[in-house]
Amino acid sequence: MSRSVLYMSMSLDGYIAGPNDTPDNPGGDGFMRLHEWYGENFHPEGPAGEVVDEESSYGAIVAGRRTVEQVDHWGGERNGVRIFVVSHRPPGPSVANYPLVTYVTDIVSAMAQAKAEAGERNVLVHGAYTAQRALEASVLDELQIHLIPVLFGGGRRLFDVLPSRVELEIVRVVDTPQATHIRYRVRS
């Protein structure tokens, strides 16, 4: 059965983007510090590499509009899987060139379609707003947080606003010098 899993790198003080996160400066100032743990080829060695291999075996993606627009919808595909974009506005004209990109107006429908598309593989979830809405709607199954040993002191937080407390269960911890990779299951 497919699970929806949020994969995010985050500073110790809860930021997923640095200050000045704008369309002209995606991720904000210092953003790449959150992704240095991947290494030069975006595939680290050892235990962190195993986390990346697991993360890369997804069967569909659910992401918010802000996230996909900052990366031009990953050129219309990412690892050949369908991308479901949660947005209340219709897509821009360039999306017509991306047959694997589907805009959906609500998170519950987006997640259901993504899980059906993914089959036995997981659904990769990206974006703070999308994660918050998925938790609120009880359609996010797990969180894989790559906790980076840095304090940003400002920027965009992952869980700035939640409607209520969410209980999590730690499933796995992989500790490396560059990051602590913590996998959580959302308790229902």
Side-chain angles (χ1 to χ4, degrees):
M1 174 92 165
S2 180
R3 292 177 304 211
S4 56
V5 184
L6 172 72
Y7 291 95
M8 296 294 289
S9 292
M10 182 176 75
S11 68
L12 184 59
D13 53 350
Y15 293 96
I16 58 168
N20 304 311
D21 178 27
T22 64
D24 294 332
N25 188 26
D29 300 341
F31 174 70
M32 286 313 295
R33 173 63 181 96
L34 296 177
H35 303 285
E36 288 175 0
W37 69 271
Y38 279 105
E40 284 184 29
N41 299 318
F42 265 77
H43 195 279
E45 298 293 320
E50 294 170 19
V51 171
V52 170
D53 289 342
E54 181 183 284
E55 180 177 328
S56 299
S57 64
Y58 52 84
I61 297 170
V62 172
R65 185 179 194 122
R66 177 184 172 83
T67 298
V68 298
E69 285 183 346
Q70 286 188 339
V71 294
D72 186 28
H73 300 80
W74 292 290
E77 66 88 26
R78 188 168 175 200
N79 293 341
V81 304
R82 186 164 295 284
I83 302 165
F84 296 89
V85 181
V86 182
S87 177
H88 298 293
R89 294 178 287 127
S94 68
V95 176
N97 299 320
Y98 301 147
L100 292 179
V101 176
T102 303
Y103 272 62
V104 184
T105 57
D106 70 279
I107 188 68
V108 174
S109 179
M111 200 66 76
Q113 290 178 60
K115 283 187 172 187
E117 181 74 23
E120 295 295 314
R121 296 184 293 168
N122 288 338
V123 173
L124 180 141
V125 179
H126 266 325
Y129 181 81
T130 302
Q132 292 169 25
R133 296 300 70 79
L135 284 168
E136 182 178 29
S138 299
V139 294
L140 185 62
D141 301 315
E142 297 183 358
L143 296 83
Q144 175 67 60
I145 303 297
H146 311 295
L147 193 59
I148 310 306
V150 64
L151 300 169
F152 265 25
R156 182 176 300 279
R157 288 185 185 273
L158 180 54
F159 296 116
D160 209 17
V161 179
L162 291 174
S164 61
R165 185 169 78 189
V166 177
E167 292 289 336
L168 305 172
E169 171 187 346
I170 296 174
V171 174
R172 176 185 66 208
V173 177
V174 176
D175 194 23
T176 69
Q178 296 80 22
T180 301
H181 310 276
I182 309 169
R183 183 76 167 245
Y184 298 95
R185 183 173 298 120
V186 179
R187 289 186 177 172
S188 41

